[in-house]
Amino acid sequence: MSWQQRIDRALAQRRAEDAYRVRLPNRGGGGRWLEHQGRRYLNFSSNDYLGLSRHPAVIRAWQQGAERYGVGSGGSGHVTGYTQAHQQLEHRLAEWLGYEQALLMISGFAANQAVVAALASEGDRILADRLSHASLLEAATLSPATLRRFQHNQPPSLAQLLEKPTDGQTLVVTEGIFSMDGDSAPLAALHRLSRAHGAWLMVDDAHGVGIVGDEGRGSSWQQQVKPELLIVTFGKAFGVGGAAVLCSQSVAEYLIQFARHLIYSTSMPPAQACALDAALAVVRSGDDRRAQLLDNVQRFRRGAASLPFRLLDAPGAIQPLVVGDNAHTVALAQRLRDAGLWVSAMRPPTVPPGTARLRITLTADQQPEDIARLLEVLHDAG
Ligand SMILES: *Cc1c(COP(=O)(O)O)cnc(C)c1O
């Protein structure tokens, strides 16, 4: 089969499975509304949970950073791309989260790839929750280590894997709050088991940081656990983009030597680091925004309990409604779209087969009447 035949066949197969993905250009995301082809939609798909992508102080910090540093960093951090703005943000993040060091990364996807690729060698094993984000599972698959997946949020399943003898090192991997199911990992139990077997725990808290824990310090802080490696991302509650790895001094030094995603890639623009510094201040003092978000979550869950779809046990901003069948899910998303509501349909392979769902996200920007409208259309459709 030629390259072209292979590509055509894969595309045809995706279409046949009702799993074909398209990108729709909008005029400004984030916030309460989203505009697409001249029509306004209530936005129930954004990860901008606290509404910070449009926060005036964050925008101003980005503008001032660009005036001072220019719009690009000019190179990898190992050359000219590490500025005082990057350094200050790393210090603040490390102090905030209680780690010796933070290393900024261009994205959460890159952070997960970088850490796993730099650490894992032949003979090591990576034990990952089966619902871990694609960036974690793919990093593990591409690494020379063996990947084994344990049952979602089941410490006994991890224990079984840990008990098998190994000559190499073991890295246990999980999300803090899961991106597709919205539930929290039992971090204390996972960490206790890992330590008992000399393994390290790596937690990707993309959806927990900024949202849960004192001052938004995230899932591990909330559960009083300090994983050896903590990944936080800034495209969600921080409303910006980028990520950081939190770790010990020596692990940070090791990553600076060996993490190829750091060494061979242009660092984030300094102005972005300035914006993130401003966003961090808003996140830390953001209890009012977090309370608003939680209020919206509870309002939605109360109303959704009587729907004929499975509402997962999710405490935070991500509220999946499992429909099951791909075509049904897409039709339901379309019905919501027609009614002026922007909700994403998630289908396999992003989620397990047979569990296609609406991934509804709530944010601090939404108003009570927005949620009432969503529930009304869902009840009609159900
Ligand atoms: C969004 C997400 C990522 C990727 O982060 P980016 O900064 O968007 O690349 C990684 N892990 C999880 C769990 C995520 O939800």
Side-chain angles (χ1 to χ4, degrees), residues 2 34 42 56 137 143 150-151 160 166 187 195 199 218 231 242 272 277 299 303 315 322 338 344-345 366 373:
S2 71
L34 197 112
L42 285 169
L137 293 177
S143 83
F150 58 91
Q151 296 302 314
Q160 269 182 0
T166 177
L187 295 178
R195 291 172 77 138
I231 312 294
Q272 184 179 340
D277 205 37
R299 188 180 300 276
V322 177
D338 294 342
S344 317
Q366 286 150 351
R373 176 76 185 133

Side-chain angles (χ1 to χ4, degrees), residues 95-159:
E95 195 185 29
W96 179 51
L97 295 168
Y99 280 80
E100 284 175 13
Q101 198 158 335
L103 289 179
L104 289 176
M105 298 275 175
I106 201 77
S107 71
F109 199 103
N112 287 335
Q113 305 280 313
V115 169
V116 170
L119 287 178
S121 304
E122 183 91 44
D124 293 339
R125 59 184 184 179
I126 297 171
L127 307 181
D129 185 290
R130 28 167 73 272
L131 297 190
S132 296
H133 192 260
S135 57
L136 291 163
L137 293 177
E138 184 166 296
T141 309
L142 294 175
S143 83
T146 359
L147 167 65
R148 292 276 177 275
R149 304 198 289 174
F150 58 91
Q151 296 302 314
H152 176 54
N153 281 348
Q154 294 297 320
S157 168
L158 171 64

Side-chain angles (χ1 to χ4, degrees), residues 90-359:
E90 286 182 347
H91 285 165
R92 293 219 167 117
L93 288 167
E95 195 185 29
W96 179 51
L97 295 168
Y99 280 80
E100 284 175 13
Q101 198 158 335
L103 289 179
L104 289 176
M105 298 275 175
I106 201 77
S107 71
F109 199 103
N112 287 335
Q113 305 280 313
V115 169
V116 170
L119 287 178
S121 304
E122 183 91 44
D124 293 339
R125 59 184 184 179
I126 297 171
L127 307 181
D129 185 290
R130 28 167 73 272
L131 297 190
S132 296
H133 192 260
S135 57
L136 291 163
L137 293 177
E138 184 166 296
T141 309
L142 294 175
S143 83
T146 359
L147 167 65
R148 292 276 177 275
R149 304 198 289 174
F150 58 91
Q151 296 302 314
H152 176 54
N153 281 348
Q154 294 297 320
S157 168
L158 171 64
Q160 269 182 0
L161 295 176
L162 281 166
E163 274 150 23
K164 301 204 172 103
T166 177
D167 291 332
Q169 296 304 312
T170 303
L171 186 64
V172 174
V173 169
T174 185
E175 291 184 41
I177 293 181
F178 282 82
S179 52
M180 288 301 141
D181 284 41
D183 51 352
S184 308
L187 295 178
L190 298 179
H191 201 213
R192 206 174 317 113
L193 280 171
S194 303
R195 291 172 77 138
H197 290 84
W200 275 7
L201 177 65
M202 172 174 175
V203 175
D204 174 349
D205 206 21
H207 298 279
V209 75
I211 302 298
V212 298
D214 182 36
E215 286 187 12
R217 288 183 177 94
S219 307
S220 52
W221 190 279
Q222 185 187 36
Q223 298 187 39
Q224 300 186 322
V225 172
K226 189 173 170 188
E228 284 74 16
L229 292 150
L230 172 65
I231 312 294
V232 294
T233 75
F234 305 130
K236 280 122 190 177
F238 277 68
V240 183
V245 181
L246 283 298
C247 55
S248 70
Q249 187 71 42
S250 61
V251 171
E253 287 300 321
Y254 178 86
L255 291 174
I256 290 168
Q257 312 312 310
F258 299 109
R260 302 169 71 80
H261 299 69
L262 268 184
I263 303 169
Y264 298 105
S265 185
T266 304
S267 67
M268 78 167 57
Q272 184 179 340
C274 297
L276 283 169
D277 205 37
L280 175 58
V282 182
V283 163
R284 294 188 71 161
S285 62
D287 282 347
D288 50 342
R289 284 170 191 270
R290 281 184 281 275
Q292 253 168 342
L293 169 62
L294 202 62
D295 219 46
N296 286 343
V297 168
Q298 283 159 355
R299 188 180 300 276
F300 173 76
R301 289 189 66 83
R302 275 196 306 272
S306 54
L307 284 169
F309 310 113
R310 191 154 62 92
L311 180 64
L312 297 184
D313 185 19
I318 304 166
Q319 292 293 327
L321 268 186
V322 177
V323 179
D325 175 70
N326 281 5
H328 265 128
T329 311
V330 174
L332 190 54
Q334 188 55 50
R335 177 135 180 208
L336 291 164
R337 188 78 42 100
D338 294 342
L341 299 154
W342 198 277
V343 176
S344 317
M346 296 289 167
R347 289 158 287 175
T350 306
V351 295
T355 71
R357 64 196 67 184
L358 295 178
R359 183 175 179 276

